[in-house]
Amino acid sequence: MYKYSIFIIHIIFFVIVSTKLYPEDIYSLETCNIPEEFSYINQNEFNNRYGSEKYLAKPVVFRQIPIDKQFLNLIQLDSILRRYGNKYITVTTANTYSYKKQYIKLNDYISLQKESPVKSKWGNETLYWFGDDLLNDQKWLHQMLRYYKPPPYAVGDFFEPSLNFGMGGTGTGVPFHFHGPGFQQMIVGRKRWYLSVEKPFFDPNETTTEWAIEKRFKQ
Ligand SMILES: *[C@@H]1O[C@H](CO)[C@@H](O)[C@H](O)[C@H]1NC(C)=O
Ligand SMILES: *[C@@H]1O[C@H](CO)[C@@H](O)[C@H](O)[C@H]1NC(C)=O
């Protein structure tokens, strides 16, 4: 009887690689080698194709999954700021270890995110709203997430998802970390994920953008 985490991450834009610096990467920016599904398959098919009996299941990308209209309206930037701009959210530094937590008003966080693309190459100096507020019983987030429909799957013993919600600006994200079964859905914007079976070469304090520019091709 476990719970698994679902991160609903809403990123305005996630720039990873400067194509001017790495013209050869233009093509790889467009490709993803993870299998894709274009609608929710049933649990049996899901188990067969992605091996969910074991925790080391295969990753899959679902595309074109419809999103509840009411939920979509609630999380529009102007709507969420009008309703909840004065609420405090928990942000963490975007480094692998020593996550430093800070409480900040949603209004102030969004202003910071809009100011400019990532100012520091250090993840330990970059604040990111990555969830965990729900653990602090934030009623307003619970109210919003009531309208969100999670994917209809159990993964092994994990069948009752807990929900997380976050937003971020250009270039934000979290560095490599280990994860149990989880599902992430982009609601607005885009975001790039890097998955690796082996531990990649990276500085736990640098941002993922920095890693993608500086280290990705230097393994
Ligand atoms: C962030 O990490 C870098 C590299 O580890 C370090 O030089 C810098 O002082 C750190 N910043 C803070 C605010 O701790
Ligand atoms: C990363 O940053 C933290 C906090 O800023 C610092 O305590 C730690 O020494 C840094 N780690 C490395 C490997 O530089």
Side-chain angles (χ1 to χ4, degrees):
M1 313 283 156
Y2 304 98
K3 290 193 173 190
Y4 67 92
S5 297
I6 291 192
F7 298 102
I8 313 160
I9 311 291
H10 163 212
I11 304 289
I12 293 158
F13 194 64
F14 190 42
V15 173
I16 273 289
V17 179
S18 158
T19 48
K20 274 189 190 137
L21 283 176
Y22 295 100
E24 73 276 22
D25 193 49
I26 294 170
Y27 183 63
S28 71
L29 267 178
E30 303 309 323
T31 56
C32 173
N33 59 359
I34 294 175
E36 297 178 348
E37 300 285 350
F38 290 85
S39 62
Y40 284 141
I41 50 180
N42 68 36
Q43 178 78 53
N44 276 345
E45 282 176 293
F46 181 81
N47 291 350
N48 291 341
R49 291 182 207 174
Y50 306 107
S52 64
E53 295 299 314
K54 302 223 159 54
Y55 299 145
L56 279 176
K58 293 180 213 129
V60 54
V61 175
F62 289 95
R63 293 204 185 274
Q64 297 167 16
I65 298 299
I67 297 167
D68 183 277
K69 280 219 173 64
Q70 231 167 328
F71 180 67
L72 209 49
N73 287 337
L74 280 173
I75 56 121
Q76 293 307 305
L77 197 55
D78 55 345
S79 148
I80 203 171
L81 288 182
R82 197 173 55 242
R83 285 196 175 84
Y84 306 117
N86 285 326
K87 299 281 185 194
Y88 279 87
I89 55 165
T90 314
V91 291
T92 52
T93 52
N95 52 338
T96 302
Y97 313 112
S98 63
Y99 276 119
K100 189 179 147 203
K101 293 195 186 301
Q102 223 169 291
Y103 297 95
I104 180 171
K105 274 191 180 168
L106 184 55
N107 273 329
D108 297 336
Y109 172 74
I110 295 298
S111 303
L112 279 174
Q113 296 290 303
K114 278 179 164 176
E115 262 173 24
S116 68
V118 183
K119 278 158 286 207
S120 169
K121 68 173 191 167
W122 296 116
N124 55 337
E125 296 173 1
T126 308
L127 296 176
Y128 188 43
W129 184 21
F130 188 56
D132 109 335
D133 297 278
L134 299 183
L135 304 177
N136 293 331
D137 192 28
Q138 299 253 347
K139 286 202 180 87
W140 63 280
L141 270 173
H142 278 291
Q143 273 165 10
M144 264 182 12
L145 288 170
R146 274 207 323 244
Y147 296 96
Y148 173 74
K149 289 193 180 61
Y153 301 119
V155 181
D157 294 338
F158 296 81
F159 60 88
E160 196 186 334
S162 67
L163 299 178
N164 257 320
F165 179 83
M167 297 166 98
T170 302
T172 53
V174 286
F176 288 107
H177 57 281
F178 293 105
H179 224 289
F183 177 81
Q184 306 206 20
Q185 183 161 12
M186 285 300 303
I187 311 292
V188 179
R190 61 179 184 158
K191 186 171 159 69
R192 182 168 297 272
W193 277 271
Y194 294 99
L195 279 75
S196 178
V197 177
E198 315 251 297
K199 187 180 174 192
F201 168 56
F202 73 106
D203 179 333
N205 274 348
E206 75 190 348
T207 62
T208 303
T209 306
E210 187 65 19
W211 170 84
I213 295 168
E214 293 298 328
K215 304 231 172 79
R216 188 175 161 203
F217 298 106
K218 297 179 189 159
Q219 311 255 341

